């Protein structure tokens, strides 16, 4: 026993049911450090998810546009561009395009006979008979169509949300050119 402190006071300090101030500060510090790392981990995961969903949305729209163009070109009657094989089809300065005659009427535009896909600014657009302009894809930095014999290759480059570029390429041979 301590000769300077009464026995009943020492018994109070040794109570096994309580915590000391040092233990409380250590516990608060550990919880704070764990919380900080948890918040950083969750913030990083949320940022990755946001970037991935932005890229996915951009690519989904572009894939849909490319598939739409390929399907329509596949059933084209006659491709009206007359460039040598392998040369990009450029209709006007800075805008790449492809123009073709429809094989048959569609429900959307039954009276249209000529379809044109072209890059206008940062968008890929479609017109039928020079009217009914529809935007198919946005954030497009380049769109080229090359011809090799009766085979057409379409290439579309997109600017991602963080400056990265994505390029989609596909090829098609119109059925009317197959004998």
């Amino acid at each position: 026993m301590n000769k300077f402190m009464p026995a009943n006071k020492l018994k109070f300090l040794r109570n096994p049911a309580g915590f000391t101030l040092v233990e409380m500060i250590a516990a608060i510090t550990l919880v704070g450090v764990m919380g900080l790392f948890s918040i950083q981990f969750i913030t990083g995961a949320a940022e990755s998810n946001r970037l991935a969903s932005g890229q996915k949305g951009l690519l989904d729209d572009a894939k849909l546009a490319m598939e739409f163009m390929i399907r329509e070109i596949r059933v084209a009657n006659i491709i009206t561009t007359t460039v040598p094989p392998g040369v990009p089809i450029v209709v006007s300065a800075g805008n790449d395009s492809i123009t073709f005659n429809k094989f048959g009427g569609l429900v959307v535009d039954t009276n249209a006979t000529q379809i044109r896909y072209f890059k206008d600014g940062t968008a890929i657009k479609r017109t039928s008979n020079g009217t009914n302009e529809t935007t198919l894809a946005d954030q497009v930095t380049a769109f080229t169509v090359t011809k090799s014999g009766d085979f057409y290759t379409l290439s579309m480059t997109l600017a991602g949300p963080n400056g990265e570029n994505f390029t989609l390429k596909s090829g098609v041979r119109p059925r009317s050119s197959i004998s």
Side-chain angles (χ1 to χ4, degrees):
M1 295 271 167
N2 190 342
K3 63 182 172 178
F4 300 109
M5 197 170 275
N8 60 354
K9 292 236 182 203
L10 284 175
K11 193 175 188 182
F12 174 72
L13 291 176
R14 290 190 207 145
N15 185 356
F19 296 105
T20 65
L21 183 60
V22 173
E23 291 172 331
M24 293 285 281
I25 291 173
I28 290 172
T29 303
L30 285 175
V31 168
V33 169
M34 289 177 13
L36 182 66
F37 285 121
S38 298
I39 288 172
Q40 287 178 345
F41 176 75
I42 291 170
T43 304
E47 182 67 17
S48 295
N49 185 34
R50 186 186 64 78
L51 293 174
S53 65
Q55 292 172 352
K56 183 181 181 326
L58 179 68
L59 284 175
D60 286 347
D61 290 346
K63 285 180 187 178
L64 187 64
M66 184 71 82
E67 182 65 25
F68 189 79
M69 287 187 281
I70 293 298
R71 285 181 183 208
E72 207 164 42
I73 293 169
R74 187 174 292 128
V75 294
N77 199 2
I78 300 168
I79 302 293
T80 59
T81 52
T82 56
V83 295
V87 177
I89 301 169
V90 179
V91 173
S92 62
N95 288 339
D96 296 332
S97 71
I98 185 167
T99 305
F100 56 93
N101 294 327
K102 278 188 354 182
F103 185 70
L106 295 174
V107 177
V108 176
D109 49 5
T110 56
N111 62 347
T113 58
Q114 193 175 76
I115 306 297
R116 179 175 180 234
Y117 290 102
F118 62 99
K119 181 177 177 285
D120 184 21
T122 60
I124 299 292
K125 296 187 176 182
R126 176 192 185 271
T127 61
S128 53
N129 281 346
T131 61
N132 303 331
E133 190 171 287
T134 306
T135 299
L136 298 177
D138 287 319
Q139 298 177 341
V140 178
T141 57
F143 176 65
T144 58
V145 180
T146 55
K147 178 182 179 188
S148 179
D150 60 351
F151 189 79
Y152 293 83
T153 304
L154 283 75
S155 176
M156 184 186 321
T157 303
L158 308 154
N162 293 318
E164 66 275 16
N165 290 325
F166 305 97
T167 301
L168 300 173
K169 285 187 177 185
S170 192
V172 63
R173 176 174 284 119
R175 289 182 182 162
S176 62
S177 64
I178 301 172
S179 42

